[in-house]
Amino acid sequence: MEYRGYRAAVEFDDSSNVLHGRVINSGPYPIATFEATDTTQLREEFHRSIDEYLAWCEEDGVEPKQPFSGKLNVRLGSELHAAIAAAAAARGTSINSWIVDAVRERTRSPYRTDSD
């Protein structure tokens, strides 16, 4: 799901029949989490969470965390950046670590980086 440039990942908890969502393109810590029992309610909760986050930032004079720009040290394009963010979040790792691992795997490089 996407709203106002923020993307959310959703997981289903089979034991409680609840959908859990979290913003995945705002940095290492999600700016919003939300849950619902159906997709219509989930989308509403996602929108409400983002709107409340942005209202809180404005009220407190805090600069909101912006969705990813699509640029790192290389130009990826926003769609590829979002896909990488989702893949890294699904694996429980940082974008940087995911990219390093992907590049290492693709090149079959044994070299380690300073961030390893």
Side-chain angles (χ1 to χ4, degrees):
M1 289 189 302
E2 187 170 344
Y3 177 65
R4 298 179 78 170
Y6 294 94
R7 289 183 184 243
V10 177
E11 296 176 352
F12 177 66
D13 182 348
D14 191 39
S15 65
S16 61
N17 287 325
V18 174
L19 297 162
H20 297 276
R22 63 188 165 85
V23 173
I24 60 171
N25 67 331
S26 61
Y29 305 103
I31 59 166
T33 59
F34 47 94
E35 62 183 37
T37 56
D38 64 62
T39 57
T40 300
Q41 182 186 27
L42 185 74
R43 187 172 307 280
E44 291 170 0
E45 290 298 316
F46 175 42
H47 291 193
R48 186 185 59 74
S49 294
I50 295 299
D51 290 340
E52 286 181 1
Y53 168 71
L54 295 173
W56 172 83
C57 287
E58 184 175 344
E59 185 178 301
D60 286 3
V62 174
E63 186 69 28
K65 289 187 178 186
Q66 297 298 314
F68 293 131
S69 66
K71 298 177 185 175
L72 296 172
N73 289 337
V74 296
R75 296 181 192 277
L76 299 172
S78 61
E79 289 184 48
L80 180 55
H81 193 173
I84 292 169
R91 204 172 96 195
T93 189
S94 70
I95 290 173
N96 187 74
S97 293
W98 190 93
I99 290 171
V100 167
D101 290 344
V103 170
R104 186 180 294 130
E105 180 181 308
R106 180 73 178 179
T107 61
R108 296 177 182 13
S109 172
Y111 300 111
R112 305 202 52 83
T113 66
D114 292 338
S115 64
D116 284 349

